Amino acid sequence: MDRDTMRLAPSILSADFARLGEEVAALEAAGADWIHVDVMDGRFVPNLTFGPPVVKALRKVTKLPLDVHLMIVEPDRWIDAYADAGADIITVHAEACTHLSRVLQAIRARGKRAGVSLNPHTPEHVLEYVMQDLDLVLVMSVNPGFGGQSFLGSVLPKVRKIREMAAAHGVQIDLEIDGGIAPETIGAAAEAGARVFVAGNAVFSGAPPSGQADHYRSRIEQLRGLAEAKR
Ligand code: DX5
Ligand code: ZN
């Protein structure tokens, strides 16, 4: 897979949970690349969403990669459950893992792509000794827990440094950014080196009750175009 392609990963955190299957089908029809699934446990972050049964249900309604972002404590206890549910990418927070290398190995042992997410204050150097063990780095550009927050531009130097680290280690990674991605911010994120863009509010807000797939398509295409322009 080409890691330099610009990919849009809409976050279903902003979807209508009462119609989740239809929402995911609409995103697929609208040209989304991945479906970003925000799992929150009310402990690692001050919000609660859903767990493996919902991922399992989503697996039945889309062929797109399910990009599962675990904002949970002790993620090592849950790797098998999310792998069994049909996740393609399992991303854990560095701040939640005492044994990060072991968790990444467990994800890969299940044949899944292993991701590490960093909160805004977490420096890139925590990745230094696991660069060979990961497939994806997810840089948080908001403090995780809620959709619709403002983009923190202070993380952009970190995106650049992670891109340099991957090159220095000779590894291919997906470099993903999450939080506050919008037409006003995606260009700077692309310029810094991000290639996968999570977007919740920017894709879902303002959708008319009918014609949602058209609305999602126009938002996704707009964001993709703005990212491409800053490659
Ligand atoms: C935040 C989540 C994000 C969030 C993005 O805790 O990880 O994926 O839903 O939403 P927007 O794009 O609205 O900032
Ligand atoms: Zn997320």
Side-chain angles (χ1 to χ4, degrees), residues 43-60:
R43 293 188 62 205
F44 183 72
V45 288
N47 196 4
L48 191 61
T49 55
F50 33 65
V54 172
V55 174
K56 190 174 178 184
L58 293 177
R59 181 72 287 162
K60 293 182 186 143

Side-chain angles (χ1 to χ4, degrees), residues 64-230:
L64 293 180
L66 293 177
D67 175 29
V68 177
H69 177 194
L70 297 181
M71 287 163 275
I72 65 176
V73 299
E74 301 178 353
D76 46 304
R77 296 174 53 206
W78 293 94
I79 300 309
D80 280 335
Y82 286 98
D84 289 344
D88 298 284
I89 301 157
I90 301 178
T91 296
V92 297
H93 267 265
E95 304 85 5
C97 297
T98 306
H99 305 287
L100 181 58
S101 157
R102 178 184 287 154
V103 179
L104 296 174
Q105 287 174 27
I107 297 170
R108 280 187 166 175
R110 290 298 312 263
K112 308 298 180 181
R113 277 139 76 189
V116 178
S117 185
L118 303 180
N119 278 335
H121 73 278
T122 303
E124 69 288 348
H125 63 67
V126 301
L127 303 172
E128 182 72 36
Y129 296 97
V130 289
M131 286 304 283
Q132 306 291 339
D133 302 320
L134 56 78
D135 302 292
L136 177 149
V137 176
L138 174 54
V139 175
M140 290 309 303
S141 41
V142 295
N143 287 293
F146 305 95
Q149 303 183 78
S150 298
F151 183 77
L152 298 174
S154 53
V155 304
L156 291 172
K158 180 162 58 177
V159 174
R160 278 199 187 86
K161 286 179 192 164
I162 293 167
R163 202 166 169 78
E164 289 165 12
M165 278 171 74
H169 284 261
V171 294
Q172 296 272 322
I173 61 165
D174 287 308
L175 187 41
E176 184 174 27
I177 190 159
D178 184 2
I181 291 295
E184 303 73 39
T185 57
I186 195 168
E191 209 166 17
R195 291 295 178 264
V196 186
F197 304 90
V198 177
N201 194 51
V203 169
F204 286 91
S205 67
S210 58
Q212 282 167 330
D214 289 346
H215 176 86
Y216 300 157
R217 174 175 294 281
S218 74
R219 292 292 175 91
I220 288 168
E221 284 178 0
Q222 180 195 21
L223 290 169
R224 201 193 302 282
L226 290 166
E228 283 292 353
K230 294 290 183 175

